[in-house]
Amino acid sequence: MFSKTRRQLVLLNSAVLILFLFVFGFILYAHLNYRLLHQADEAVRNTARSMQLSSIDQMLQADHPEPDADRITSYLFWDEQDHLLNQYPKPTFSLEDAIKLRDITRDGSLHDISLEKRQYRVLGFNNPMPEAFDSQSFPHVSYVVVIRNLEDAHHMLQTLRMDLLIGCTTGVLFSILAGFYLAGRSLIPIRKSWDKQQQFVADASHELRTPIAVVQTRSELLFRHPQHTIEEESENIALILKESKRMGHLVEDLLTLARTDSNQLQIHGAEVPVHQLLQEITEQFTLLAETKFIHIHSHIEPSVIWGDEHRLRQLFIILLDNALKFTPPEGLIEIACYNLSNSTRIVIKDSGCGISEEDLPRIFERFYRGDKSRSRSEGGTGLGLSIAEWIVQAHKGTIRVQSQLSVGTEFLIVLPKKI
């Protein structure tokens, strides 16, 4: 699936780049073509105007320099009988070509003409002086044709076309190679999210499969003995109820995490007296701890923060419930709350079995449990710490954990007083 998506991204990026290069190249070529032709037209017109302001007849004198020494512009001089008097530079055009150039410019406008596979820009005009100043010394020029050679301009345009072709080809090849790399890089977080979602669905299915199987099996056992009383089947009924509650908690946790992923779960902010909340939850867990011969010590300073009381209650219950599950009899759970200037620091520490170094970086992952058999027997689903981490992050706080096997685990939470 991702390979197909990667190819589609590469094709799309390449198509966009090709279109961009084509449009950019076309605009550049059209602009340069216009500038070169416009420059040629201006040169021809300026030359014609300067000649009209001077004595054209004197240009035919033997000692008169050629009007243009760069050989880009040529001149044809005609008399009143349409005889070619001279041309500069000499010789440039045959008589046949000169006649074509004369005839095409009779309307007085600029024209393009191709002679011997060469392009020219031509302009013809009449000599404003009706007759020669000294007709005995040199003949009178009646009509002049100014010719601009466009070979350099066309050569430049041809070079530009080749450069654009090479550039576009190189750009397309580069875009394909870069597209494969960038598409692969951009798909990494998508692939990770997809794998994470697939793993989440698989883990959720696995967690639900066990209680569903237990409920189904125990229900079938009830139907085998319809004559039994409720008291006689109390064991099966109790197990069905236990697994039903476990499924209910699991579904509720899954719904919470699904809503956090889609940003549907919001924090309802209000002033929360954290010390009172912690004191209340500690008293509730003290009663449960006494039944397991576990001691709970607390040091709680008054502190008020801005947050969601319901979610903070859920956070503390998750952490205390974990501490209670993994602390052996005669163990100790310590709860501390410190009021700082801009934040509240909460520490929940137990003397339980601890967490191995291999499992410690992954304890906030969904469905991850270092000791799956013990967690299942305790009714855990592996989602509690994931929810706890989200609650802390939603309050712009931080949560850290330190643990050592056979020594205990310590959770350190820092919550800002204002979100």
mmCIF file of all heavy atoms in Angstrom, residues 289 292-297 319-335 347-355 374 402-411:
data_model
loop_
_atom_site.group_PDB
_atom_site.id
_atom_site.type_symbol
_atom_site.label_atom_id
_atom_site.label_comp_id
_atom_site.label_asym_id
_atom_site.label_seq_id
_atom_site.Cartn_x
_atom_site.Cartn_y
_atom_site.Cartn_z
ATOM 1 N N ALA A 289 -5.565 -0.423 51.146
ATOM 2 C CA ALA A 289 -4.203 -0.839 51.480
ATOM 3 C C ALA A 289 -4.177 -1.631 52.787
ATOM 4 O O ALA A 289 -3.389 -2.569 52.940
ATOM 5 C CB ALA A 289 -3.298 0.380 51.576
ATOM 6 N N LYS A 292 -4.565 -5.274 52.442
ATOM 7 C CA LYS A 292 -3.390 -5.979 51.911
ATOM 8 C C LYS A 292 -2.162 -5.774 52.810
ATOM 9 O O LYS A 292 -1.054 -6.138 52.420
ATOM 10 C CB LYS A 292 -3.082 -5.466 50.502
ATOM 11 C CG LYS A 292 -4.170 -5.775 49.491
ATOM 12 C CD LYS A 292 -3.736 -5.328 48.093
ATOM 13 C CE LYS A 292 -4.767 -5.714 47.056
ATOM 14 N NZ LYS A 292 -4.338 -5.362 45.675
ATOM 15 N N PHE A 293 -2.373 -5.147 53.994
ATOM 16 C CA PHE A 293 -1.305 -4.893 54.952
ATOM 17 C C PHE A 293 -0.201 -4.031 54.331
ATOM 18 O O PHE A 293 1.000 -4.269 54.515
ATOM 19 C CB PHE A 293 -0.714 -6.223 55.474
ATOM 20 C CG PHE A 293 -1.747 -7.145 56.061
ATOM 21 C CD1 PHE A 293 -2.246 -8.208 55.325
ATOM 22 C CD2 PHE A 293 -2.235 -6.921 57.350
ATOM 23 C CE1 PHE A 293 -3.204 -9.051 55.842
ATOM 24 C CE2 PHE A 293 -3.203 -7.779 57.898
ATOM 25 C CZ PHE A 293 -3.686 -8.839 57.131
ATOM 26 N N ILE A 294 -0.635 -3.019 53.552
ATOM 27 C CA ILE A 294 0.285 -2.067 52.926
ATOM 28 C C ILE A 294 0.110 -0.723 53.618
ATOM 29 O O ILE A 294 -1.013 -0.281 53.889
ATOM 30 C CB ILE A 294 0.005 -1.936 51.416
ATOM 31 C CG1 ILE A 294 0.241 -3.276 50.710
ATOM 32 C CG2 ILE A 294 0.895 -0.865 50.795
ATOM 33 C CD1 ILE A 294 -0.149 -3.273 49.253
ATOM 34 N N HIS A 295 1.208 -0.049 53.902
ATOM 35 C CA HIS A 295 1.183 1.227 54.599
ATOM 36 C C HIS A 295 1.255 2.382 53.589
ATOM 37 O O HIS A 295 1.987 2.324 52.611
ATOM 38 C CB HIS A 295 2.350 1.323 55.580
ATOM 39 C CG HIS A 295 2.423 0.175 56.526
ATOM 40 N ND1 HIS A 295 1.574 0.030 57.604
ATOM 41 C CD2 HIS A 295 3.261 -0.920 56.544
ATOM 42 C CE1 HIS A 295 1.867 -1.075 58.255
ATOM 43 N NE2 HIS A 295 2.894 -1.688 57.631
ATOM 44 N N ILE A 296 0.479 3.416 53.832
ATOM 45 C CA ILE A 296 0.475 4.611 52.984
ATOM 46 C C ILE A 296 0.839 5.813 53.841
ATOM 47 O O ILE A 296 0.187 6.092 54.848
ATOM 48 C CB ILE A 296 -0.896 4.834 52.311
ATOM 49 C CG1 ILE A 296 -1.205 3.687 51.342
ATOM 50 C CG2 ILE A 296 -0.910 6.164 51.559
ATOM 51 C CD1 ILE A 296 -2.519 3.854 50.606
ATOM 52 N N HIS A 297 1.886 6.529 53.459
ATOM 53 C CA HIS A 297 2.301 7.751 54.125
ATOM 54 C C HIS A 297 2.115 8.919 53.150
ATOM 55 O O HIS A 297 2.388 8.776 51.957
ATOM 56 C CB HIS A 297 3.767 7.675 54.550
ATOM 57 C CG HIS A 297 4.006 6.663 55.638
ATOM 58 N ND1 HIS A 297 5.271 6.258 56.014
ATOM 59 C CD2 HIS A 297 3.141 5.978 56.433
ATOM 60 C CE1 HIS A 297 5.173 5.367 56.982
ATOM 61 N NE2 HIS A 297 3.885 5.178 57.251
ATOM 62 N N LEU A 319 -2.307 5.999 39.060
ATOM 63 C CA LEU A 319 -0.970 5.813 39.628
ATOM 64 C C LEU A 319 -1.031 5.109 40.981
ATOM 65 O O LEU A 319 -0.204 4.223 41.273
ATOM 66 C CB LEU A 319 -0.278 7.169 39.762
ATOM 67 C CG LEU A 319 -0.010 7.912 38.447
ATOM 68 C CD1 LEU A 319 0.667 9.246 38.709
ATOM 69 C CD2 LEU A 319 0.847 7.071 37.511
ATOM 70 N N LEU A 320 -1.992 5.465 41.814
ATOM 71 C CA LEU A 320 -2.118 4.805 43.119
ATOM 72 C C LEU A 320 -2.583 3.365 42.969
ATOM 73 O O LEU A 320 -2.167 2.481 43.728
ATOM 74 C CB LEU A 320 -3.076 5.588 44.008
ATOM 75 C CG LEU A 320 -2.508 6.881 44.610
ATOM 76 C CD1 LEU A 320 -3.589 7.669 45.340
ATOM 77 C CD2 LEU A 320 -1.368 6.560 45.567
ATOM 78 N N ASP A 321 -3.446 3.116 41.993
ATOM 79 C CA ASP A 321 -3.914 1.757 41.750
ATOM 80 C C ASP A 321 -2.748 0.862 41.314
ATOM 81 O O ASP A 321 -2.615 -0.281 41.764
ATOM 82 C CB ASP A 321 -5.005 1.770 40.688
ATOM 83 C CG ASP A 321 -5.596 0.381 40.473
ATOM 84 O OD1 ASP A 321 -6.139 -0.191 41.435
ATOM 85 O OD2 ASP A 321 -5.512 -0.127 39.337
ATOM 86 N N ASN A 322 -1.879 1.377 40.422
ATOM 87 C CA ASN A 322 -0.691 0.623 40.024
ATOM 88 C C ASN A 322 0.233 0.364 41.203
ATOM 89 O O ASN A 322 0.791 -0.728 41.350
ATOM 90 C CB ASN A 322 0.069 1.370 38.936
ATOM 91 C CG ASN A 322 -0.541 1.177 37.562
ATOM 92 O OD1 ASN A 322 -1.379 0.315 37.375
ATOM 93 N ND2 ASN A 322 -0.116 1.979 36.608
ATOM 94 N N ALA A 323 0.423 1.384 42.037
ATOM 95 C CA ALA A 323 1.298 1.225 43.206
ATOM 96 C C ALA A 323 0.738 0.170 44.153
ATOM 97 O O ALA A 323 1.488 -0.649 44.710
ATOM 98 C CB ALA A 323 1.444 2.563 43.927
ATOM 99 N N LEU A 324 -0.564 0.175 44.312
ATOM 100 C CA LEU A 324 -1.190 -0.792 45.208
ATOM 101 C C LEU A 324 -1.098 -2.217 44.657
ATOM 102 O O LEU A 324 -0.923 -3.175 45.411
ATOM 103 C CB LEU A 324 -2.649 -0.399 45.439
ATOM 104 C CG LEU A 324 -3.370 -1.083 46.607
ATOM 105 C CD1 LEU A 324 -2.688 -0.741 47.936
ATOM 106 C CD2 LEU A 324 -4.833 -0.665 46.641
ATOM 107 N N LYS A 325 -1.213 -2.361 43.342
ATOM 108 C CA LYS A 325 -1.177 -3.688 42.728
ATOM 109 C C LYS A 325 0.182 -4.354 42.883
ATOM 110 O O LYS A 325 0.282 -5.559 43.121
ATOM 111 C CB LYS A 325 -1.505 -3.571 41.230
ATOM 112 C CG LYS A 325 -2.964 -3.343 40.910
ATOM 113 C CD LYS A 325 -3.142 -3.193 39.412
ATOM 114 C CE LYS A 325 -4.585 -2.876 39.071
ATOM 115 N NZ LYS A 325 -4.779 -2.655 37.609
ATOM 116 N N PHE A 326 1.256 -3.570 42.746
ATOM 117 C CA PHE A 326 2.584 -4.159 42.667
ATOM 118 C C PHE A 326 3.409 -3.976 43.941
ATOM 119 O O PHE A 326 4.623 -4.192 43.927
ATOM 120 C CB PHE A 326 3.335 -3.567 41.473
ATOM 121 C CG PHE A 326 2.634 -3.792 40.162
ATOM 122 C CD1 PHE A 326 2.077 -2.741 39.449
ATOM 123 C CD2 PHE A 326 2.493 -5.079 39.661
ATOM 124 C CE1 PHE A 326 1.419 -2.964 38.252
ATOM 125 C CE2 PHE A 326 1.838 -5.304 38.456
ATOM 126 C CZ PHE A 326 1.297 -4.247 37.747
ATOM 127 N N THR A 327 2.755 -3.556 45.006
ATOM 128 C CA THR A 327 3.437 -3.459 46.293
ATOM 129 C C THR A 327 3.064 -4.667 47.146
ATOM 130 O O THR A 327 1.874 -4.928 47.367
ATOM 131 C CB THR A 327 3.048 -2.156 47.014
ATOM 132 O OG1 THR A 327 3.400 -1.034 46.192
ATOM 133 C CG2 THR A 327 3.777 -2.037 48.348
ATOM 134 N N PRO A 328 4.043 -5.384 47.656
ATOM 135 C CA PRO A 328 3.747 -6.587 48.446
ATOM 136 C C PRO A 328 3.253 -6.220 49.848
ATOM 137 O O PRO A 328 3.355 -5.070 50.281
ATOM 138 C CB PRO A 328 5.108 -7.293 48.487
ATOM 139 C CG PRO A 328 6.108 -6.192 48.379
ATOM 140 C CD PRO A 328 5.484 -5.159 47.487
ATOM 141 N N PRO A 329 2.718 -7.186 50.563
ATOM 142 C CA PRO A 329 2.303 -6.934 51.960
ATOM 143 C C PRO A 329 3.463 -6.387 52.788
ATOM 144 O O PRO A 329 4.633 -6.734 52.581
ATOM 145 C CB PRO A 329 1.851 -8.311 52.450
ATOM 146 C CG PRO A 329 1.433 -9.028 51.209
ATOM 147 C CD PRO A 329 2.354 -8.543 50.133
ATOM 148 N N GLU A 330 3.115 -5.529 53.738
ATOM 149 C CA GLU A 330 4.076 -4.819 54.585
ATOM 150 C C GLU A 330 4.925 -3.828 53.783
ATOM 151 O O GLU A 330 5.924 -3.307 54.291
ATOM 152 C CB GLU A 330 4.998 -5.789 55.333
ATOM 153 C CG GLU A 330 4.276 -6.794 56.206
ATOM 154 C CD GLU A 330 3.387 -6.133 57.261
ATOM 155 O OE1 GLU A 330 3.718 -5.019 57.721
ATOM 156 O OE2 GLU A 330 2.351 -6.715 57.614
ATOM 157 N N GLY A 331 4.494 -3.566 52.543
ATOM 158 C CA GLY A 331 5.191 -2.581 51.730
ATOM 159 C C GLY A 331 4.734 -1.172 52.073
ATOM 160 O O GLY A 331 3.857 -0.949 52.915
ATOM 161 N N LEU A 332 5.325 -0.180 51.384
ATOM 162 C CA LEU A 332 5.063 1.224 51.690
ATOM 163 C C LEU A 332 4.773 2.002 50.415
ATOM 164 O O LEU A 332 5.469 1.845 49.413
ATOM 165 C CB LEU A 332 6.262 1.840 52.409
ATOM 166 C CG LEU A 332 6.186 3.336 52.733
ATOM 167 C CD1 LEU A 332 5.061 3.622 53.727
ATOM 168 C CD2 LEU A 332 7.521 3.843 53.258
ATOM 169 N N ILE A 333 3.757 2.834 50.485
ATOM 170 C CA ILE A 333 3.431 3.775 49.402
ATOM 171 C C ILE A 333 3.502 5.179 49.984
ATOM 172 O O ILE A 333 2.859 5.484 51.003
ATOM 173 C CB ILE A 333 2.038 3.503 48.822
ATOM 174 C CG1 ILE A 333 1.973 2.107 48.187
ATOM 175 C CG2 ILE A 333 1.671 4.560 47.777
ATOM 176 C CD1 ILE A 333 0.599 1.730 47.679
ATOM 177 N N GLU A 334 4.281 6.042 49.329
ATOM 178 C CA GLU A 334 4.437 7.421 49.786
ATOM 179 C C GLU A 334 3.835 8.375 48.762
ATOM 180 O O GLU A 334 4.078 8.243 47.560
ATOM 181 C CB GLU A 334 5.916 7.754 49.971
ATOM 182 C CG GLU A 334 6.599 6.904 51.038
ATOM 183 C CD GLU A 334 8.064 7.259 51.174
ATOM 184 O OE1 GLU A 334 8.346 8.361 51.695
ATOM 185 O OE2 GLU A 334 8.905 6.449 50.746
ATOM 186 N N ILE A 335 3.052 9.331 49.277
ATOM 187 C CA ILE A 335 2.402 10.338 48.433
ATOM 188 C C ILE A 335 2.827 11.711 48.957
ATOM 189 O O ILE A 335 2.671 11.995 50.149
ATOM 190 C CB ILE A 335 0.879 10.202 48.470
ATOM 191 C CG1 ILE A 335 0.457 8.789 48.050
ATOM 192 C CG2 ILE A 335 0.220 11.246 47.575
ATOM 193 C CD1 ILE A 335 -1.008 8.508 48.277
ATOM 194 N N VAL A 347 4.636 13.522 43.927
ATOM 195 C CA VAL A 347 5.463 12.319 43.907
ATOM 196 C C VAL A 347 4.660 11.168 44.481
ATOM 197 O O VAL A 347 4.088 11.288 45.574
ATOM 198 C CB VAL A 347 6.762 12.504 44.727
ATOM 199 C CG1 VAL A 347 7.607 11.226 44.682
ATOM 200 C CG2 VAL A 347 7.562 13.686 44.205
ATOM 201 N N ILE A 348 4.592 10.065 43.723
ATOM 202 C CA ILE A 348 3.939 8.838 44.185
ATOM 203 C C ILE A 348 4.976 7.724 44.088
ATOM 204 O O ILE A 348 5.411 7.365 43.002
ATOM 205 C CB ILE A 348 2.695 8.507 43.340
ATOM 206 C CG1 ILE A 348 1.673 9.633 43.472
ATOM 207 C CG2 ILE A 348 2.087 7.167 43.761
ATOM 208 C CD1 ILE A 348 0.420 9.435 42.632
ATOM 209 N N LYS A 349 5.360 7.205 45.242
ATOM 210 C CA LYS A 349 6.453 6.247 45.331
ATOM 211 C C LYS A 349 6.003 4.999 46.053
ATOM 212 O O LYS A 349 5.260 5.080 47.039
ATOM 213 C CB LYS A 349 7.632 6.908 46.052
ATOM 214 C CG LYS A 349 8.876 6.055 46.162
ATOM 215 C CD LYS A 349 9.974 6.825 46.873
ATOM 216 C CE LYS A 349 11.252 5.999 46.999
ATOM 217 N NZ LYS A 349 12.325 6.752 47.715
ATOM 218 N N ASP A 350 6.443 3.853 45.548
ATOM 219 C CA ASP A 350 6.094 2.585 46.210
ATOM 220 C C ASP A 350 7.346 1.746 46.391
ATOM 221 O O ASP A 350 8.383 2.001 45.766
ATOM 222 C CB ASP A 350 5.040 1.827 45.397
ATOM 223 C CG ASP A 350 5.532 1.384 44.039
ATOM 224 O OD1 ASP A 350 6.429 0.526 43.981
ATOM 225 O OD2 ASP A 350 5.008 1.891 43.014
ATOM 226 N N SER A 351 7.219 0.742 47.235
ATOM 227 C CA SER A 351 8.317 -0.205 47.476
ATOM 228 C C SER A 351 7.984 -1.554 46.857
ATOM 229 O O SER A 351 8.240 -2.601 47.466
ATOM 230 C CB SER A 351 8.560 -0.356 48.992
ATOM 231 O OG SER A 351 7.384 -0.840 49.639
ATOM 232 N N GLY A 352 7.417 -1.518 45.666
ATOM 233 C CA GLY A 352 6.979 -2.734 45.002
ATOM 234 C C GLY A 352 8.096 -3.460 44.276
ATOM 235 O O GLY A 352 9.295 -3.262 44.549
ATOM 236 N N CYS A 353 7.686 -4.269 43.298
ATOM 237 C CA CYS A 353 8.645 -5.119 42.583
ATOM 238 C C CYS A 353 9.534 -4.330 41.638
ATOM 239 O O CYS A 353 10.589 -4.814 41.226
ATOM 240 C CB CYS A 353 7.898 -6.206 41.814
ATOM 241 S SG CYS A 353 6.704 -5.540 40.616
ATOM 242 N N GLY A 354 9.128 -3.109 41.261
ATOM 243 C CA GLY A 354 9.933 -2.288 40.367
ATOM 244 C C GLY A 354 9.768 -2.671 38.895
ATOM 245 O O GLY A 354 9.061 -3.625 38.548
ATOM 246 N N ILE A 355 10.439 -1.911 38.053
ATOM 247 C CA ILE A 355 10.358 -2.106 36.595
ATOM 248 C C ILE A 355 11.773 -2.267 36.065
ATOM 249 O O ILE A 355 12.683 -1.520 36.449
ATOM 250 C CB ILE A 355 9.673 -0.906 35.914
ATOM 251 C CG1 ILE A 355 8.302 -0.647 36.535
ATOM 252 C CG2 ILE A 355 9.529 -1.136 34.412
ATOM 253 C CD1 ILE A 355 7.654 0.638 36.080
ATOM 254 N N ARG A 374 1.083 -11.304 35.409
ATOM 255 C CA ARG A 374 0.730 -10.649 36.666
ATOM 256 C C ARG A 374 -0.309 -9.546 36.420
ATOM 257 O O ARG A 374 -1.272 -9.391 37.149
ATOM 258 C CB ARG A 374 1.981 -10.045 37.304
ATOM 259 C CG ARG A 374 1.694 -9.467 38.700
ATOM 260 C CD ARG A 374 2.699 -8.411 39.064
ATOM 261 N NE ARG A 374 4.050 -8.914 38.981
ATOM 262 C CZ ARG A 374 4.797 -9.201 40.051
ATOM 263 N NH1 ARG A 374 4.291 -9.062 41.260
ATOM 264 N NH2 ARG A 374 6.041 -9.628 39.890
ATOM 265 N N GLN A 402 11.094 6.737 37.757
ATOM 266 C CA GLN A 402 12.344 6.093 38.140
ATOM 267 C C GLN A 402 11.989 4.791 38.836
ATOM 268 O O GLN A 402 11.065 4.746 39.659
ATOM 269 C CB GLN A 402 13.166 6.988 39.083
ATOM 270 C CG GLN A 402 13.612 8.299 38.449
ATOM 271 C CD GLN A 402 14.376 9.172 39.432
ATOM 272 O OE1 GLN A 402 14.443 8.861 40.616
ATOM 273 N NE2 GLN A 402 14.948 10.259 38.929
ATOM 274 N N SER A 403 12.724 3.736 38.502
ATOM 275 C CA SER A 403 12.387 2.435 39.079
ATOM 276 C C SER A 403 13.616 1.552 39.133
ATOM 277 O O SER A 403 14.557 1.705 38.337
ATOM 278 C CB SER A 403 11.285 1.761 38.261
ATOM 279 O OG SER A 403 10.864 0.557 38.880
ATOM 280 N N GLN A 404 13.567 0.613 40.086
ATOM 281 C CA GLN A 404 14.629 -0.368 40.238
ATOM 282 C C GLN A 404 13.999 -1.666 40.701
ATOM 283 O O GLN A 404 13.150 -1.678 41.605
ATOM 284 C CB GLN A 404 15.666 0.130 41.244
ATOM 285 C CG GLN A 404 16.903 -0.750 41.349
ATOM 286 C CD GLN A 404 17.946 -0.161 42.281
ATOM 287 O OE1 GLN A 404 17.810 0.966 42.729
ATOM 288 N NE2 GLN A 404 18.970 -0.942 42.575
ATOM 289 N N LEU A 405 14.392 -2.743 40.096
ATOM 290 C CA LEU A 405 13.820 -4.044 40.433
ATOM 291 C C LEU A 405 14.044 -4.378 41.910
ATOM 292 O O LEU A 405 15.133 -4.164 42.465
ATOM 293 C CB LEU A 405 14.426 -5.140 39.550
ATOM 294 C CG LEU A 405 13.971 -5.171 38.089
ATOM 295 C CD1 LEU A 405 14.736 -6.239 37.316
ATOM 296 C CD2 LEU A 405 12.471 -5.431 37.994
ATOM 297 N N SER A 406 12.951 -4.873 42.519
ATOM 298 C CA SER A 406 12.952 -5.305 43.933
ATOM 299 C C SER A 406 13.153 -4.151 44.899
ATOM 300 O O SER A 406 13.325 -4.381 46.106
ATOM 301 C CB SER A 406 14.026 -6.377 44.179
ATOM 302 O OG SER A 406 13.838 -7.491 43.318
ATOM 303 N N VAL A 407 13.164 -2.907 44.398
ATOM 304 C CA VAL A 407 13.314 -1.739 45.269
ATOM 305 C C VAL A 407 12.045 -0.888 45.245
ATOM 306 O O VAL A 407 11.499 -0.521 46.290
ATOM 307 C CB VAL A 407 14.531 -0.894 44.855
ATOM 308 C CG1 VAL A 407 14.615 0.379 45.705
ATOM 309 C CG2 VAL A 407 15.808 -1.704 44.989
ATOM 310 N N GLY A 408 11.535 -0.584 44.060
ATOM 311 C CA GLY A 408 10.307 0.189 43.973
ATOM 312 C C GLY A 408 10.305 1.129 42.781
ATOM 313 O O GLY A 408 11.261 1.178 41.998
ATOM 314 N N THR A 409 9.214 1.877 42.653
ATOM 315 C CA THR A 409 9.009 2.776 41.518
ATOM 316 C C THR A 409 8.555 4.134 42.040
ATOM 317 O O THR A 409 7.790 4.222 43.018
ATOM 318 C CB THR A 409 7.943 2.209 40.565
ATOM 319 O OG1 THR A 409 8.349 0.909 40.133
ATOM 320 C CG2 THR A 409 7.760 3.107 39.354
ATOM 321 N N GLU A 410 9.022 5.181 41.390
ATOM 322 C CA GLU A 410 8.658 6.553 41.767
ATOM 323 C C GLU A 410 8.198 7.315 40.531
ATOM 324 O O GLU A 410 8.917 7.379 39.533
ATOM 325 C CB GLU A 410 9.843 7.254 42.411
ATOM 326 C CG GLU A 410 9.569 8.729 42.745
ATOM 327 C CD GLU A 410 10.768 9.409 43.368
ATOM 328 O OE1 GLU A 410 11.373 8.797 44.265
ATOM 329 O OE2 GLU A 410 11.095 10.531 42.938
ATOM 330 N N PHE A 411 6.993 7.868 40.599
ATOM 331 C CA PHE A 411 6.454 8.725 39.552
ATOM 332 C C PHE A 411 6.527 10.172 40.028
ATOM 333 O O PHE A 411 6.063 10.505 41.121
ATOM 334 C CB PHE A 411 5.004 8.365 39.220
ATOM 335 C CG PHE A 411 4.859 7.127 38.394
ATOM 336 C CD1 PHE A 411 4.730 5.888 39.000
ATOM 337 C CD2 PHE A 411 4.860 7.189 37.013
ATOM 338 C CE1 PHE A 411 4.599 4.733 38.244
ATOM 339 C CE2 PHE A 411 4.739 6.043 36.246
ATOM 340 C CZ PHE A 411 4.611 4.806 36.861
#
